Every structure is written in C-alpha cells, then in structure tokens.
Amino acid sequence: MKRLFFLLALVLFFNNTFAQDSEDPGKGFGIPSKRGGIGFGNLKKFTGIRFNFKDKDVDKINGINTTIWTTKDESFQTGTVNGLSLGLPLAMGHDNQNGISIGALGVATRGSLTGINIGVLGAGAGDNVTGLNIGGLGIGSGGDLRGITIGGLGAGSGGSVVGFNFGGLGIGAGDDLSGFTIGGLGVGSGGNVNGITIGGLGVGAGEDINGFSFAVAGIGAGDHIRGVTIAGVGIGAGEEVKGITIAGVGIGSRKLTGLAVAAAVGGMDLKGIMIAPAWLRVGDRHKLDDGTWEVKEGTMTGLSISAYNRIKGEQRGVVFGVVNYAMRVKGVQFGLINIIKENPRGLRVLPIFNTKFGRGN
C-alpha cells in the first residue's frame, strides 16, 4: 500500500509539472519544475533562482535572474524581472527590471529600470530609470531619470531628470531638470532647470532657470533666470534675469530685476540695484537697411553705480558714476560729468550733479 501511494504521488507530481510546462515554458529545465525552484536555460516564466546565457521572449521572472549576454534584436527583449538581476557581464534583455540590477559591464532594458541599478560601465533604459542609479561611465534614459543618479562621465535623459544628479562631465535633460545637480563641465536642459545647480563650466536651459545656480564660465536661459545666480564670466536670459545675480564680466537680459553685480550690465528694463564698475547700458540701437540708426529706448529704475551710466531712455532713481548719460530723468545723477538730454541748453551737461530742470519734453 505504501509503494502504491508513493507511486501515485509521483505520477501526480510529474503530471502537474508537465501540465504547467505545456504552455511553452521555454528551453531549459528546472528543479523541481520549469516554473519554479532552480532553473537553467531560457525559461520564460520562472520563480526562484534562474541561470541563462541569453534571455529571449521572457514573460516574467521573480527572484534571482542571472544572464551573460543579450539578443541583437530588441523585439526579443520582453517581459519583466522582479528581484535581483545579475549580469556576467550584462544584465539586460527585458522590457522592465524591478529591484536590484547589477551588471559587470552594464545594465539596460528596453522599457524601464526601477530600484537599485549599477552598471560598471553604464546603465540605461529606453523608457524611465528610477531609484539609485550608478554607471561607471554614464547613465541614460529615453524617458525620465529619477532618484539618485551618478554617472562617471555623464548622465542624460530624453525626458526629465529629477533628484540628486551627478555627472563627471555633464548632466543633460531633454525636458526639465530638477533637484540637486552637479555637472563636472556643464548642466543643460531643453526645458527648465530647477533647484541647486552647479556646472563646472556652464549651466543652460531652453526655458527657465529657477533656484541657486553656479558656473565657472557662464549661465544662460532662453526665457527667465530667477533666484541666486553666480557665474565667473557671464549670465544672460532671453526675457528676464531676476534675483541676486553676480558675474565676473557681464550680465545681460531684456529685463533685469533685483541685485545685479558685474563689470558690465545691460538690458532694456532694469529695476533694482545695479553695480557695474565698467559700464551700465540701458536701451539699444540697430542699423537699418538705409544706413540710419533706430534707437530702442529702455528704463532704469532704482540705483546704479558704474563708471559710465549710459541710459538710452529714462532714468528713474539715482546713479553714481564718472560719466552719466540719460535722455530723460526722474531722479538724480552724481558724477564728474552728468548729461541729461531733455534739459534746457546750458543745463544739459553739468559737473558733480544733475537732475531734471524746466518742464522737459
């Protein structure tokens, strides 16, 4: 009777095993089953510890998955691995990997990487990379890059980069870049740069820069710069620079608001405190096709300290300089030579002090 029950149990076990494996389990074998335990080969759906040379048409792996190489055809890189993915040398060959992914050379997926992702050379995904991401050379993502990202040479994303980001040479994002970001040479974004941003040489954004930004050379934005901005050479924005802005050589924008300190400062609409040891320039002029010049007037509101205050437009406030020039004034000029174009003859150029006299124009 005991032998009969043992034989019956053995038949039921193997019958259950082969019944489960009848749905194309893939090539290979497993102990005790092709569905779970310890597996060898390209088993498509497995739970436990699995070893395979090259993953192809995977469905779902839960547990520990170890691979050596990857398929050349991306269409075979399917399915999801949940748990620990080990690459000797490449941990790749799937749509998604969730958990811990470590590759002696690299880690990559066609879809998303989520969790702890470490590639000695690099790590990347066609979609999002999320979590703790470390690539000896670099980190790349076709979608968003989120979490703590460290790329030996650099890190880049076709979408947004969010979190703590370090790139030995640089960090780049096709969309927004937000958080604490350090790029050895530079930091760039096609959208906005938000947070604390440090670029060895430069920081650039296609739209706005918001927060604290520092660069040895220059900082530039297509639209606005807001916050505390410090650059060794220059700072510029297409629309407005606002906040505390300090540059070694120059600061320029159509609109400047706040405190601006640089050897030269220029724009169309300046409001606040401007300290420009070399010169301050407000307004602009362009040469027309007929050879004549068109003057575009600007305004300066607040306080300016510069060797040469040149205001093509209206001064509203106080300026200190060696030579001061304004077309119109609602305030005071102090300097060696003070010029106000709207004043009556005899009062247009005065030493020490000048202001608006008479009714004006």
Side-chain angles (χ1 to χ4, degrees):
M1 288 295 292
K2 289 183 179 179
R3 291 181 180 180
L4 181 61
F5 279 118
F6 176 78
L7 182 60
L8 181 60
L10 192 61
V11 170
L12 289 172
F13 172 79
F14 279 103
N15 181 66
N16 182 60
T17 298
F18 286 115
Q20 289 177 340
D21 293 345
S22 64
E23 299 177 0
D24 188 20
K27 296 180 179 180
F29 67 94
I31 304 171
S33 162
K34 286 188 174 184
R35 297 292 186 184
I38 300 176
F40 300 88
N42 194 54
L43 302 174
K44 297 183 179 182
K45 194 171 185 178
F46 194 82
T47 299
I49 303 173
R50 176 180 177 273
F51 300 90
N52 189 31
F53 176 76
K54 184 186 297 185
D55 283 353
K56 178 181 177 181
D57 292 329
V58 167
D59 184 2
K60 182 184 289 186
I61 309 296
N62 297 315
I64 300 174
N65 186 60
T66 301
T67 58
I68 295 176
W69 212 243
T70 184
T71 61
K72 292 182 179 180
D73 191 342
E74 288 189 357
S75 65
F76 294 135
Q77 298 176 18
T78 63
T80 300
V81 176
N82 300 310
L84 174 62
S85 298
L86 293 175
L88 302 171
L90 297 174
M92 55 195 303
H94 318 102
D95 245 347
N96 307 293
Q97 289 178 187
N98 304 313
I100 301 174
S101 301
I102 301 173
L105 291 182
V107 174
T109 62
R110 194 172 69 163
S112 298
L113 274 172
T114 303
I116 299 174
N117 310 298
I118 302 173
V120 175
L121 291 183
D127 200 351
N128 300 323
V129 177
T130 304
L132 172 61
N133 314 299
I134 300 174
L137 293 180
I139 305 285
S141 167
D144 295 340
L145 189 56
R146 297 176 179 273
I148 299 174
T149 302
I150 301 172
L153 292 181
S157 166
S160 298
V161 176
V162 181
F164 174 87
N165 314 295
F166 172 83
L169 292 180
I171 302 284
D175 201 349
D176 294 342
L177 194 155
S178 304
F180 186 93
T181 305
I182 301 174
L185 289 181
V187 175
S189 165
N192 301 315
V193 174
N194 304 309
I196 299 173
T197 309
I198 299 172
L201 289 180
V203 175
E207 295 179 11
D208 299 342
I209 296 177
N210 303 302
F212 174 85
S213 304
F214 172 84
V216 175
I219 298 175
D223 291 332
H224 302 86
I225 295 177
R226 304 183 184 97
V228 178
T229 311
I230 302 172
V233 179
I235 297 170
E239 292 296 325
E240 180 184 22
V241 174
K242 185 176 182 178
I244 298 173
T245 312
I246 302 171
V249 178
I251 299 172
S253 178
R254 189 188 66 80
K255 187 175 182 179
L256 284 174
T257 305
L259 171 64
V261 181
V265 174
M268 295 298 295
D269 184 6
L270 280 59
K271 295 180 181 179
I273 300 173
M274 310 294 156
I275 301 175
W279 56 264
L280 176 98
R281 178 176 177 176
V282 177
D284 201 0
R285 67 172 186 165
H286 297 278
K287 193 172 185 178
L288 303 178
D289 294 338
D290 60 5
T292 60
W293 291 89
E294 178 188 24
V295 176
K296 292 187 176 181
E297 296 187 7
T299 59
M300 194 291 293
T301 304
L303 170 66
S304 174
I305 302 173
S306 178
Y308 178 31
N309 290 291
R310 178 181 176 274
I311 301 171
K312 287 282 187 178
E314 185 167 88
Q315 173 197 325
R316 302 170 183 172
V318 181
V319 299
F320 292 88
V322 177
V323 177
N324 302 310
Y325 170 88
M327 297 176 70
R328 296 178 304 280
V329 168
K330 291 181 179 178
V332 184
Q333 295 177 338
F334 294 99
L336 185 63
I337 301 173
N338 303 285
I339 305 167
I340 300 176
K341 188 177 180 181
E342 72 169 351
N343 274 350
R345 290 184 180 181
L347 296 175
R348 291 176 183 172
V349 181
L350 294 176
I352 310 303
F353 162 89
N354 205 349
T355 188
K356 179 180 177 179
F357 293 100
R359 296 181 180 181
N361 297 323

